[in-house]
């Protein structure tokens, strides 16, 4: 299965720019509200299937977009007053969730059971993608309900994924889920309300189940990532990377800025081909977007800071060659996240100058054959 690394990387890690519209249109089933109703109805927690009570977010098997993904306009404020304490957090989270939901809706629309079985994957693979899509729709509903009526609830944009084969899609699934776990735990640091912190933990637990399914069924790997998953303190930097999915100019008028605040850091990737990206590996990084390059001060030291578990380790970074090393001390489990910083340990959000970079350890083969344009 892992001789498909070119397929995996061409779409899952480089995310080519073949445009795909975000799911739109009304759900035709009897248990979901019609999208012809007013978007403001989404302010009512009893409107539509209720996550945790209705089986809808587990058992809807249609290919049409499920509720609330069939609503395409933002919910504008219906009351005057200050925003809720965690409104901005949940606006950011809902913006990210729409991209994740759209990724799974794309999978449901693009593939079918035979597409996955013909590629050598278990017969239940397509059904699991449907179930995850349903779960993500439930997340979108929950996040929207946590935004107060004095703030805007963002709607879907249009998205591009550029993935047309099952292997690349399932590799991207692994990256999406493990990255979701990292930004959800990071957002807990921003949450002001205990109820918000509890909601973030509960959703992260669901994402970890999605990730575990893929590791077991798809990659035949252990689902365990060591004693602790990676906590990354600057969650908005991960959210920023999801903007690569958004078709420019496609977001509905009235959507809030996403994410807010945004540093718009240069994106990090790898230059050249690597058979593995294990601890101790020497790597050369790349800043793939020619319109967004880091500005390194001459004579100043910069560092590659890698996060794993609850720790980070700093490695030297050569600004002339972009060379660095993945810390040899890390256990080869779970997820590493790397940034370029002007300070060892990247102690503040403003000390980060590029990134984050996602390095998956399970399965490490997802990282094989990374091929980015030479600069």
């Amino acid at each position: 299965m892992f001789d498909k690394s070119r397929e995996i990387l061409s779409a899952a890690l480089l995310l080519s720019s073949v445009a795909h519209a975000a799911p739109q249109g009304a759900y035709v089933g009897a248990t979901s509200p019609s999208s012809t109703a007013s978007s403001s109805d989404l302010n009512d927690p009893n409107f539509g299937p209720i996550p945790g009570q209705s089986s809808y977010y587990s058992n809807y098997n249609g290919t049409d977009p499920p509720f609330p993904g069939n609503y395409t306009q933002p919910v504008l404020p219906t009351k005057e007053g200050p925003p809720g304490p965690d409104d901005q957090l949940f606006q950011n989270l809902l913006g990210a969730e729409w991209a994740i939901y759209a990724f799974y809706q794309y999978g449901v629309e693009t593939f079918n059971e035979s597409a996955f079985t013909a590629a050598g994957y278990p017969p239940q693979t397509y059904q699991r993608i449907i179930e995850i899509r349903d779960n993500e729709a439930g997340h979108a509903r929950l996040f929207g309900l946590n935004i107060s009526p004095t703030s805007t609830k963002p709607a879907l944009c249009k998205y591009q994924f550029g993935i047309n084969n099952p292997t690349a899609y399932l590799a991207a699934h692994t990256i999406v889920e493990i990255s979701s776990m990292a930004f959800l735990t990071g957002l807990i640091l921003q949450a002001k309300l205990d109820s918000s912190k509890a909601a973030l933990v509960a959703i992260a637990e669901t994402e970890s189940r999605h990730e575990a399914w893929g590791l077991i069924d798809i990659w035949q790997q252990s689902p365990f990532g060591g004693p602790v998953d990676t906590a990354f303190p600057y969650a908005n930097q991960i959210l920023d990377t999801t903007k690569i999915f958004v078709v420019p100019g496609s977001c509905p008028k009235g959507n809030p800025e996403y994410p807010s605040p945004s540093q718009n850091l240069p994106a990090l990737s790898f230059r050249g081909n690597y058979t593995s990206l294990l601890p101790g590996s020497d790597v050369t990084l790349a800043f793939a977007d020619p319109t967004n390059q880091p500005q390194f001060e001459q004579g100043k030291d910069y560092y590659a800071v890698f996060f794993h578990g609850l720790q980070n380790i700093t490695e030297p970074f050569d600004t002339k060659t972009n060379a660095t090393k993945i810390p040899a001390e890390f256990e080869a489990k779970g997820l590493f996240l790397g940034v370029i910083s002007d300070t060892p340990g990247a102690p503040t959000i403003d000390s980060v100058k590029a990134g984050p970079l996602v390095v998956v350890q399970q399965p490490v083969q997802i990282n094989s054959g990374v091929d980015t344009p030479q600069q």
Side-chain angles (χ1 to χ4, degrees), residues 229-374:
D229 280 302
T230 297
F232 185 70
Y234 311 127
N236 282 27
Q237 293 176 359
I238 301 179
L239 299 184
D240 242 331
T241 66
T242 66
K243 292 192 292 190
I244 193 173
F245 295 121
V246 178
V247 176
S250 71
C251 294
K253 184 178 180 180
N255 264 19
E257 178 189 357
Y258 170 78
S260 181
S262 170
Q263 293 174 276
N264 193 33
L265 294 174
L268 269 180
S269 59
F270 295 102
R271 179 189 293 173
N273 300 327
Y274 294 89
T275 55
S276 71
L277 291 168
L278 292 167
S281 297
D282 293 315
V283 294
T284 301
L285 304 181
F287 305 98
D289 183 356
T291 68
N292 188 8
Q293 295 287 300
Q295 302 299 315
F296 295 126
E297 295 181 25
Q298 188 172 1
K300 185 172 183 177
D301 290 331
Y302 291 87
Y303 309 89
V305 183
F306 291 89
F307 294 79
H308 182 50
L310 302 181
Q311 301 175 322
N312 68 68
I313 293 178
T314 299
E315 296 286 351
F317 177 69
D318 188 327
T319 58
K320 292 184 173 60
T321 64
N322 293 347
T324 189
K325 174 181 286 188
I326 298 175
E329 296 89 341
F330 283 164
E331 181 183 13
K333 292 279 192 180
L335 173 72
F336 305 159
L337 286 166
V339 299
I340 303 302
S341 176
D342 62 5
T343 309
T348 67
I349 191 169
D350 291 332
S351 73
V352 178
K353 303 305 176 183
L357 174 73
V358 174
V359 186
V360 176
Q361 294 296 293
Q362 291 168 270
V364 72
Q365 290 90 339
I366 281 181
N367 297 308
S368 354
V370 179
D371 188 10
T372 58
Q374 297 294 319

Side-chain angles (χ1 to χ4, degrees), residues 52-139:
Q53 296 182 25
S54 171
S55 62
Y56 178 83
Y57 298 107
S58 299
N59 296 334
Y60 168 58
N61 285 322
T63 56
D64 288 328
F67 176 80
N70 54 341
Y71 282 76
T72 59
Q73 294 301 313
V75 181
L76 301 178
T78 56
K79 293 183 179 180
E80 294 184 357
D86 288 327
D87 278 2
Q88 186 179 70
L89 181 153
F90 281 106
Q91 285 175 325
N92 285 336
L93 194 49
L94 183 53
E97 182 57 55
W98 282 134
I100 295 169
Y101 156 79
F103 170 77
Y104 287 108
Q105 179 64 22
Y106 171 80
V108 171
E109 294 176 355
T110 303
F111 304 108
N112 54 33
E113 181 178 330
S114 61
F116 289 109
T117 55
Y121 299 108
Q124 68 271 23
T125 301
Y126 182 64
Q127 182 59 37
R128 293 290 180 264
I129 296 300
I130 291 175
E131 290 179 54
I132 295 173
R133 183 275 312 267
D134 294 350
N135 286 179
E136 301 297 350
H139 295 171

Side-chain angles (χ1 to χ4, degrees), residues 129-152:
I129 296 300
I130 291 175
E131 290 179 54
I132 295 173
R133 183 275 312 267
D134 294 350
N135 286 179
E136 301 297 350
H139 295 171
R141 182 62 172 139
L142 288 168
F143 297 153
L145 289 173
N146 276 277
I147 300 170
S148 73
T150 58
S151 296
T152 298

Side-chain angles (χ1 to χ4, degrees), residues 87-224:
D87 278 2
Q88 186 179 70
L89 181 153
F90 281 106
Q91 285 175 325
N92 285 336
L93 194 49
L94 183 53
E97 182 57 55
W98 282 134
I100 295 169
Y101 156 79
F103 170 77
Y104 287 108
Q105 179 64 22
Y106 171 80
V108 171
E109 294 176 355
T110 303
F111 304 108
N112 54 33
E113 181 178 330
S114 61
F116 289 109
T117 55
Y121 299 108
Q124 68 271 23
T125 301
Y126 182 64
Q127 182 59 37
R128 293 290 180 264
I129 296 300
I130 291 175
E131 290 179 54
I132 295 173
R133 183 275 312 267
D134 294 350
N135 286 179
E136 301 297 350
H139 295 171
R141 182 62 172 139
L142 288 168
F143 297 153
L145 289 173
N146 276 277
I147 300 170
S148 73
T150 58
S151 296
T152 298
K153 296 174 172 58
L156 292 90
C157 304
K158 293 183 179 180
Y159 305 88
Q160 56 190 9
F161 299 107
I163 297 174
N164 56 16
N165 70 79
T167 300
Y169 184 81
L170 292 170
H173 150 80
T174 297
I175 295 168
V176 165
E177 293 300 333
I178 201 165
S179 299
S180 298
M181 292 158 56
F183 73 65
L184 284 162
T185 53
L187 284 171
I188 292 172
L189 299 175
Q190 298 180 20
K192 298 177 175 63
L193 301 177
D194 288 343
S195 59
S196 300
K197 297 174 184 178
L200 292 167
V201 171
I203 299 298
E205 289 172 339
T206 300
E207 303 297 355
S208 70
R209 292 173 186 260
H210 298 166
E211 172 73 0
W213 161 73
L215 291 174
I216 295 170
D217 255 21
I218 303 303
W219 308 115
Q220 290 83 53
Q221 297 270 319
S222 168
F224 305 133

